[in-house]
Amino acid sequence: AQSVTQLDSQVPVFEEAPVELRCNYSSSVSVYLFWYVQYPNQGLQLLLKYLSGSTLVKGINGFEAEFNKSQTSFHLRKPSVHISDTAEYFCAVSRTGTASKLTFGTGTRLQVTL
Amino acid sequence: EAQVTQNPRYLITVTGKKLTVTCSQNMNHEYMSWYRQDPGLGLRQIYYSMNVEVTDKGDVPEGYKVSRKEKRNFPLILESPSPNQTSLYFCASSILTSGGTNTGELFFGEGSRLTVL
């Protein structure tokens, strides 16, 4: 079975500063990796995904993530955040070839202030 | 507009009173799933369905039932709700690849906040 650890429950950051949200996963087989974002009072929406190929994945709203197999990590980064990036971010993992079960992390609350 | 629609969005009920949360998607997706979101626990899968009449348990299925009689609808049924089912519920859907697998790119509804007293 796979699992996901998001080490930071909250990350405060000033507007225009860079940010990194950390995600580590555990799995004995190959995986797909995802970042989802949840804005207040809304459902989740996909930010980016890694299925195969290039380990640097670019997503919407200027976010990117890098798949590091040796460190079993998939950290999310943005070079300059905006107030509108304030949201909860979830890392998720699934086994390749099935994905009937997507396992989510516990989430990281990104709070951007002026 | 492509969307997943859940109803009701908010509900307060009492222990033991059967309720159904409906979920409908207009994207012709084969795969549908229910999650519950609780503080500090993230999202946990309750049930999922790979197609009509095909459903399976997720991580936390106890106390819930589902059905998939039509492709677009995937209702979540709480036969006898209890306070520990107070939670925020999300329905999600996805296409399946030609190989019958789900890539994990889920489309979520806006959520249904349920309180059981």
Side-chain angles (χ1 to χ4, degrees), chain A:
Chain A
Q2 62 268 14
S3 65
V4 177
T5 301
Q6 292 183 246
L7 295 165
D8 306 303
S9 59
Q10 294 188 69
V11 173
V13 64
F14 290 111
E15 191 174 38
E16 297 183 4
V19 70
E20 177 179 85
L21 305 184
R22 296 180 293 170
C23 172
N24 288 88
Y25 69 93
S26 173
S27 177
S28 58
V29 298
S30 297
V31 296
Y32 296 145
L33 291 156
F34 309 84
W35 276 98
Y36 281 83
V37 59
Q38 184 181 30
Y39 297 106
N41 299 313
Q42 294 185 28
L44 284 75
Q45 65 183 85
L46 183 68
L47 255 186
L48 49 81
K49 61 186 177 186
Y50 171 78
L51 303 183
S52 65
S54 174
T55 57
L56 183 62
V57 179
K58 294 190 184 298
I60 61 172
N61 299 338
F63 284 93
E64 65 180 31
E66 186 156 21
F67 171 54
N68 188 319
K69 189 174 182 179
S70 62
Q71 297 188 1
T72 61
S73 67
F74 191 55
H75 301 331
L76 181 70
R77 302 186 182 100
K78 187 170 183 177
S80 176
V81 295
H82 190 267
I83 290 283
S84 59
D85 293 323
T86 294
E88 185 128 26
Y89 292 79
F90 292 93
C91 184
V93 64
S94 68
R95 285 173 47 193
T96 60
T98 60
S100 59
K101 177 179 170 56
L102 194 61
T103 300
F104 286 85
T106 53
T108 297
R109 170 83 177 156
L110 176 64
Q111 182 68 52
V112 182
T113 55
L114 295 171

Side-chain angles (χ1 to χ4, degrees), chain B residues 11 24 28 34 36 38 54 57 59 68 70 81 91 95 101:
Chain B
L11 179 64
S24 180
N28 202 35
W34 277 103
R36 60 178 289 173
D38 301 289
V54 180
K57 297 177 181 179
D59 293 320
R68 188 90 182 275
E70 302 167 283
C91 180
I95 60 170
T101 62

Side-chain angles (χ1 to χ4, degrees), chain B residues 7 17 20 33 40 47 57 65 68 71-72 76 91-92 98 110 112:
Chain B
N7 280 295
K17 186 175 181 183
T20 299
S33 182
Y47 270 95
K57 297 177 181 179
K65 284 176 57 176
R68 188 90 182 275
K71 196 172 186 179
R72 63 184 291 127
L76 179 70
C91 180
S98 56
E110 293 191 318
S112 297

